[in-house]
């Protein structure tokens, strides 16, 4: 329903027109937003207020038409405006809703380029607005605790600092379009197994140092307008209505003044939701078919009776409505002002998708400089693997996007080739539930690879559909991966193809690591492509043939084996009796691998280039407020232009508590021409040196010596210097 339609309602209600800001009278114009909200609240009945704090359809919350307040319209997120589901849950296949499918969260973060976070958010915001959405349900920023989490692809990293840096641009890109971002899922939704029932137990230090910083940055630096409460419990209480996490930490400590939206169906109690911070209850009972009577929600009619009988004070409801109205004003959903029309599927959006994909793809291995391939020398190409021709945008659960188009790796690679080149495509494996190595398909692939002068195998995870796959959907919502081994007999295929043609380039798609131990020593060139969006095939083709120099870096450690990763080595997963203890504490991701000296397959921050970079002249200077200004010179010493992510790690040399061997505290991406050099200057604030002291319940900087390391990855440190603080 258009905003204009609602204007008809307000004509009959003069005072509301004035409050909503459509008046031209000067004294009314000078009302602050909070005063306007006060006036609106004073005009609203209890029933009207309550209608605004729960769903009115699958993706809207209630309107108050007589006051010109429209429904609040939401959509997933996080990497494209979701397939249209209308008021119920009937997916539309209408081309008018085909959207720009951006690289997924983990790919965006692999760019290590905050400017691309903004570009990404801008595309989303413009498309959301064009489609009449007020809130986009993203970014998803849960920490990648285990490689098995089915939703890792939607999230960003195992490292809270990297998450914090990437989330801000995304949020501002969306919100600059007058659309609210919704950071999710608050908090500790780090596994899909038992997500509706499991309670996460972690220490306060772990919360403060690892799981909270991304959300804190979203609120304090990104100014995020809305936040989604997670399905799971935290210390025994459901996250969506959590006295400590929402009332105390989010709203009081961090000063969040926007609205907390429940995950769909995540509210479990009227009183808890009212008291412990839920502002809008969303959801639907899919098992019963679309719920028609949204008044039956926990935050529906019951609330009216509770207020009328004096059990609940109406001020609690007012606070929730106030938060919603505040964001409606900020995004110009009400109150007049030009919200802008938005735009959809523009060439600019497509080129943003391509640029992000190009910077997201990570070159893991390149022995003997096998890559890039020289397209002039190629006459006969074997392209192998079901993922080469598989479109991925429509899968994965709530983040599904009906893409305007999706260039597959096969198409992208073919586009790079001269016309007379012979291309043989073989699937190599069958994407089907429980499918085993297929001897015929492997044989066909092996023959093609043997004859070819260039062989490219595109494999990895897929976005399955939970309903079809009964628990083996891999990168998808509501289930985790069963293990870290490639499904469908891909290990057998890769080994056989590498034997036939040792120069085969391996491209892995997916939301995270795979166990490569069976073949990695035989592979010369490996790319990790994530899910690179609708332009992903083009980006893969350009990187393979050297039109683009890869500059992506891993945002998570790739363990050799699942058992090597901390949640599986010393923590619990997926927990027992609906409780999961994060016993690994702050030792998440590389913090664990580096402190406990466990050799990863590929380290956090790793990513090669077709050129080389020299680091020199690291200098540290003390700044104000216990900050340190770091300067390091980086030079492109190869013969190609390229991008490097200069990473700064900090180690506390003497500490009264256990601290990680090193922690990322700064980074900068830089693009250099051959021979060019640049001074990278990064200020490490006091936060870079502190830890959360559980006894004092505050952040503490223990005076002493700190080591600052500048590197090309967490395991490729090029320059080191100490400083006394
Ligand atoms: C997901 C959310 C999503 C919501 C609405 C839930 O199942 O966990 O991330 O935004 O559905 O689709």
């Amino acid at each position: 329903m258009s905003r204009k339609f609602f204007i008809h309602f307000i004509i009959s209600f003069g005072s509301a027109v004035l409050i909503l800001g459509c008046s031209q009278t000067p004294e009314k114009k000078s009302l602050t937003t909070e005063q306007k909200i006060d006036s609106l609240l004073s005009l609203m009945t209890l029933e009207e207020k309550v209608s605004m704090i729960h769903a009115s359809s699958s993706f809207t919350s209630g309107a108050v038409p007589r006051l010109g307040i429209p429904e609040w319209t939401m959509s997933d997120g996080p990497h494209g405006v979701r397939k249209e589901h209308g008021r119920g849950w009937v997916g539309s296949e209408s081309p008018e809703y085909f959207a720009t499918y951006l690289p997924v969260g983990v790919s965006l973060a692999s760019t290590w380029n905050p400017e691309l976070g903004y570009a990404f958010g801008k595309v989303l915001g413009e498309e959301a607005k064009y489609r009449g959405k007020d809130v986009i349900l993203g970014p998803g920023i849960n920490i990648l605790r285990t490689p098995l989490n089915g939703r890792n692809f939607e999230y960003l990293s195992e490292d809270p600092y990297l998450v914090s840096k990437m989330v801000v641009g995304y949020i501002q890109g969306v919100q600059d379009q007058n659309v609210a971002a919704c950071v999710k899922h608050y908090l500790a939704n780090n596994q899909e197994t038992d997500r509706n029932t499991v309670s996460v137990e972690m220490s306060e230090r772990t919360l403060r140092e690892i799981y909270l910083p991304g959300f804190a940055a979203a609120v304090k630096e990104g100014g995020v307008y809305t936040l989604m409460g997670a399905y799971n419990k935290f210390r025994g209480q459901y996250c969506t209505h959590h006295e400590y996490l929402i009332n105390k930490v989010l709203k009081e400590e961090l000063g969040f003044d926007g609205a907390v939206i429940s995950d769909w169906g995540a509210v479990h109690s009227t009183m808890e939701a009212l008291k412990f911070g839920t502002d809008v209850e969303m959801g639907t009972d899919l098992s019963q078919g679309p719920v028609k009577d949204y008044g039956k929600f926990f935050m529906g009619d019951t609330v009216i009776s509770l207020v009328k009988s004096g059990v609940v004070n109406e001020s609690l409801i007012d606070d929730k409505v106030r938060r919603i109205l505040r964001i409606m004003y900020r995004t110009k959903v009400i109150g007049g002002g030009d919200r802008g029309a938005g735009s959809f599927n523009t060439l600019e959006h497509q080129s943003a998708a391509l640029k992000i994909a190009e910077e997201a793809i990570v070159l893991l291995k390149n022995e003997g400089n096998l890559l890039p391939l020289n397209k002039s020398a190629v006459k006969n190409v074997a392209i192998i693997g079901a993922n080469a021709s598989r479109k991925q945008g429509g899968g994965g659960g709530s983040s599904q996007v009906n893409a305007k188009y999706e260039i597959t790796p096969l198409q992208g690679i073919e586009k790079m080739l001269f016309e007379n080149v012979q291309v043989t495509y073989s699937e190599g494996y069958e994407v089907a539930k429980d499918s085993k190595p297929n001897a015929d398909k492997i044989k066909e692939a092996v023959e093609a690879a043997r004859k070819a002068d260039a062989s490219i195998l595109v494999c990895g995870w897929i976005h399955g559909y939970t309903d079809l796959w009964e628990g083996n959907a891999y990168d998808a919502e509501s289930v985790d991966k069963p293990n870290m081994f490639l499904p469908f007999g891909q290990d057998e295929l890769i080994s056989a193809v590498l034997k036939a043609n040792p120069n085969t380039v391996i491209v892995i798609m997916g939301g995270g690591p795979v166990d490569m131990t069976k073949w990695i020593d035989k592979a010369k060139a490996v790319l990790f492509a994530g899910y690179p969006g609708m332009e992903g095939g083009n980006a893969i083709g350009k990187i393979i043939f050297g039109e683009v120099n890869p500059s992506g870096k891993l945002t998570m450690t790739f363990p050799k084996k699942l058992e090597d990763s901390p949640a599986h080595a010393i923590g619990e997963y997926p927990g027992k009796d609906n409780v999961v203890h994060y016993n690994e504490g702050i030792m998440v991701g590389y913090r664990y691998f580096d402190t406990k000296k466990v050799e990863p397959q590929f380290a956090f921050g790793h990513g090669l280039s077709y050129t080389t970079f020299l680091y020199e002249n690291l200098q540290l200077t003390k700044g104000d407020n216990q900050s340190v200004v770091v300067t390091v010179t980086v030079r492109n010493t190869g013969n190609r232009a390229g991008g490097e992510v200069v990473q700064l790690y900090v180690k506390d040399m003497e500490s009264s508590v256990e601290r990680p061997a090193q922690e990322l505290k700064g980074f900068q991406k830089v693009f250099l021409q051959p021979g060019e050099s640049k001074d990278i200057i990064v200020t490490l604030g006091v936060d870079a040196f502190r830890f959360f002291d559980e006894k004092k319940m505050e952040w503490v900087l223990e005076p002493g010596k700190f080591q600052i390391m500048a590197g090309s990855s967490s395991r490729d440190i090029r320059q080191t210097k100490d400083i006394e603080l």
Side-chain angles (χ1 to χ4, degrees):
M1 188 181 286
S2 78
R3 308 269 169 255
K4 280 190 197 115
F5 179 73
F6 280 104
I7 298 298
H8 294 298
F9 290 98
I10 59 176
I11 288 166
S12 59
F13 207 98
S15 49
V17 173
L18 298 177
I19 294 156
L20 285 168
C22 303
S23 157
Q24 296 308 310
T25 44
E27 79 270 26
K28 293 292 178 191
K29 265 196 150 175
S30 62
L31 284 182
T32 65
T33 301
E34 295 305 309
Q35 288 167 331
K36 288 179 194 167
I37 294 172
D38 286 338
S39 309
L40 269 181
L41 283 169
S42 71
L43 293 170
M44 287 169 84
T45 64
L46 175 63
E47 287 75 6
E48 285 169 338
K49 291 176 190 169
V50 171
S51 77
M52 287 185 69
I53 64 168
H54 65 79
S56 56
S57 80
S58 54
F59 282 97
T60 56
S61 56
V64 184
R66 75 175 183 94
L67 297 179
I69 302 168
E71 285 184 314
W72 214 18
T73 307
M74 308 169 195
S75 172
D76 288 292
H79 46 259
V81 182
R82 183 179 176 167
K83 176 176 180 159
E84 191 61 46
H85 281 279
R87 298 193 69 78
W89 288 89
V90 186
S92 167
E93 297 304 326
S94 167
E96 71 181 297
Y97 299 124
F98 290 175
T100 298
Y101 161 40
L102 292 154
V104 299
V106 98
S107 292
L108 170 64
S110 304
T111 67
W112 293 59
N113 186 343
E115 280 172 26
L116 293 182
Y118 186 89
F120 186 110
K122 183 165 180 271
V123 171
L124 266 180
E126 286 177 347
E127 298 212 349
K129 192 166 53 178
Y130 183 90
R131 291 240 317 247
K133 315 295 181 193
D134 306 321
V135 182
I136 191 95
L137 304 171
I141 64 162
N142 294 88
I143 291 287
L144 311 188
R145 174 178 182 254
T146 158
L148 299 187
N149 181 9
R151 290 185 92 172
N152 279 349
F153 72 93
E154 284 187 65
Y155 304 146
L156 305 179
S157 174
E158 69 188 20
D159 181 76
Y161 181 81
L162 181 56
V163 170
S164 304
K165 289 294 142 194
M166 294 306 298
V167 78
V168 172
Y170 179 127
I171 291 167
Q172 290 173 347
V174 170
Q175 295 188 169
D176 282 355
Q177 307 313 312
N178 294 316
V179 170
C182 180
V183 66
K184 65 189 188 185
H185 308 89
Y186 185 73
L187 180 129
N189 185 180
N190 310 106
Q191 63 188 52
E192 289 297 286
T193 303
D194 302 331
R195 69 174 178 176
N196 294 304
T197 48
V198 78
S199 179
V200 174
E201 289 294 324
M202 68 171 79
S203 70
E204 191 64 18
R205 182 174 176 207
T206 305
L207 170 68
R208 299 286 171 163
E209 291 191 19
I210 305 292
Y211 294 92
L212 187 60
F215 290 100
V219 173
K220 301 203 61 117
E221 291 168 52
V224 73
Y225 291 159
T226 74
L227 169 144
M228 186 185 290
Y231 279 127
N232 51 287
K233 293 178 184 170
F234 179 84
R235 298 182 187 154
Q237 192 171 43
Y238 279 109
C239 288
T240 287
H241 27 77
H242 204 283
E243 190 170 15
Y244 183 63
L245 286 181
I246 298 186
N247 282 359
K248 175 83 180 67
V249 177
L250 179 73
K251 291 185 174 173
E252 199 184 308
E253 273 182 41
L254 298 175
F256 176 69
D257 68 357
V260 172
I261 298 173
S262 79
D263 201 340
W264 267 233
V267 171
H268 294 266
S269 146
T270 300
M271 280 314 278
E272 293 203 14
L274 292 180
K275 283 195 309 192
F276 302 147
T278 323
D279 297 313
V280 187
E281 179 187 5
M282 295 302 294
T284 194
D285 184 353
L286 280 174
S287 59
Q288 307 297 316
V291 173
K292 294 280 171 5
D293 187 359
Y294 285 90
K296 295 213 171 71
F297 269 34
F298 288 100
M299 291 171 74
D301 299 343
T302 317
V303 180
I304 301 172
S305 329
L306 287 169
V307 174
K308 285 197 169 148
S309 61
V311 177
V312 167
N313 194 313
E314 194 166 342
S315 63
L316 265 184
I317 319 304
D318 287 354
D319 177 62
K320 297 176 195 303
V321 176
R322 172 180 298 280
R323 286 168 178 275
I324 299 166
L325 290 172
R326 189 179 281 145
I327 303 310
M328 285 184 159
Y329 272 112
R330 277 189 199 154
T331 48
K332 300 192 169 73
V333 168
I334 56 174
D338 182 14
R339 196 176 176 213
S343 54
F344 205 47
N345 281 324
T346 62
L347 287 176
E348 205 190 339
H349 293 181
Q350 290 151 19
S351 67
L354 176 62
K355 176 100 184 75
I356 296 162
E358 287 173 356
E359 286 198 35
I361 293 168
V362 184
L363 177 59
L364 295 176
K365 190 171 177 186
N366 196 17
E367 229 173 75
N369 290 338
L370 175 61
L371 284 173
L373 303 180
N374 175 359
K375 73 173 170 186
S376 317
V378 166
K379 299 277 171 291
N380 181 351
V381 180
I383 303 174
I384 302 162
N387 262 355
S389 60
R390 187 178 171 88
K391 293 190 176 174
Q392 309 276 7
S398 61
S399 64
Q400 59 179 195
V401 180
N402 258 359
K404 166 93 176 155
Y405 61 84
E406 182 176 342
I407 308 289
T408 63
L410 178 62
Q411 291 168 331
I413 295 165
E414 277 182 327
K415 271 208 231 168
M416 292 300 301
L417 300 169
F418 291 121
E419 261 181 19
N420 56 353
V421 174
Q422 196 194 325
V423 178
T424 317
Y425 172 61
S426 33
E427 239 188 352
Y429 59 93
E430 197 188 349
V431 176
K433 187 169 162 15
D434 297 332
S435 80
K436 301 276 177 291
N438 181 317
D440 291 343
K441 285 184 190 285
I442 293 181
K443 192 162 166 249
E444 191 190 43
V446 162
E447 269 160 28
R450 188 174 290 126
K451 284 191 219 133
D453 50 23
S455 165
I456 301 161
L457 199 167
V458 187
C459 54
W461 302 113
I462 56 150
H463 284 310
Y465 297 86
T466 27
D467 43 348
L468 297 179
W469 292 72
E470 295 160 27
N472 271 2
Y474 307 106
D475 282 317
E477 190 175 332
S478 85
V479 279
D480 288 341
K481 294 175 181 130
N483 51 53
M484 226 173 72
F485 293 110
L486 280 171
F488 320 130
Q490 293 181 76
D491 278 332
E492 288 78 358
L493 171 75
I494 299 170
S495 301
V497 169
L498 281 172
K499 202 164 168 204
N501 186 339
N503 285 338
T504 299
V505 175
I506 311 288
V507 180
I508 299 170
M509 320 259 318
V514 301
D515 185 319
M516 305 178 189
T517 48
K518 294 200 180 91
W519 48 262
I520 188 65
D521 293 343
K522 307 272 177 350
K524 292 184 184 164
V526 183
L527 286 165
F528 176 63
Y531 292 111
M534 68 200 272
E535 284 285 338
N538 284 334
I540 291 171
K542 285 173 186 236
I543 285 181
I544 288 178
F545 290 98
E547 235 173 63
V548 167
N549 190 351
S551 63
K553 301 272 187 181
L554 290 183
T555 70
M556 77 206 90
T557 308
F558 272 37
K560 287 191 171 158
K561 304 214 140 290
L562 180 65
E563 309 83 84
D564 292 345
S565 66
H568 302 268
I570 51 173
E572 280 181 358
Y573 168 87
K576 282 182 222 78
D577 303 326
N578 280 325
V579 181
V580 55
H581 292 94
Y582 286 15
N583 292 331
E584 73 282 8
I586 58 164
M587 296 297 172
V588 175
Y590 69 90
R591 284 170 169 75
Y592 169 80
F593 285 81
D594 297 343
T595 310
K596 307 292 176 195
K597 304 204 169 26
V598 180
E599 200 56 36
Q601 190 70 70
F602 293 106
F604 173 80
H606 171 73
L608 304 169
S609 164
Y610 296 153
T611 188
T612 46
F613 298 97
L614 178 78
Y615 288 53
E616 50 197 356
N617 207 17
L618 174 67
Q619 286 179 36
L620 310 178
T621 327
K622 282 191 192 175
D624 296 340
N625 304 321
Q626 294 178 297
S627 65
V628 174
V629 182
V630 183
T631 313
V632 62
T633 308
V634 182
R635 185 183 306 278
N636 181 345
T637 46
N639 51 16
R640 263 173 201 271
E644 169 69 325
V645 179
V646 177
Q647 301 163 42
L648 299 177
Y649 294 88
V650 174
K651 177 184 174 71
D652 188 351
M653 303 298 278
E654 321 139 38
S655 171
S656 60
V657 296
E658 186 183 27
R659 298 199 69 179
Q662 54 177 359
E663 293 183 277
L664 181 77
K665 294 295 175 183
F667 66 87
Q668 202 170 301
K669 191 162 195 176
V670 59
F671 288 90
L672 297 171
Q673 293 299 318
E676 196 189 354
S677 71
K678 200 179 166 193
D679 287 346
I680 306 294
I681 304 167
V682 175
T683 300
L684 301 177
V686 63
D687 292 353
F689 308 101
R690 300 196 297 190
F691 66 89
F692 190 81
D693 186 329
E694 283 185 332
K695 287 193 203 105
K696 295 188 182 146
M697 285 294 279
E698 62 184 33
W699 290 91
V700 166
L701 190 157
E702 273 183 358
K705 205 187 271 180
F706 291 85
Q707 190 167 75
I708 315 291
M709 294 160 269
S712 179
S713 90
S714 60
R715 293 271 174 140
D716 184 6
I717 300 299
R718 307 288 184 83
Q719 295 260 295
T720 301
K721 242 189 190 151
D722 293 350
I723 192 159
E724 193 87 24
L725 287 177

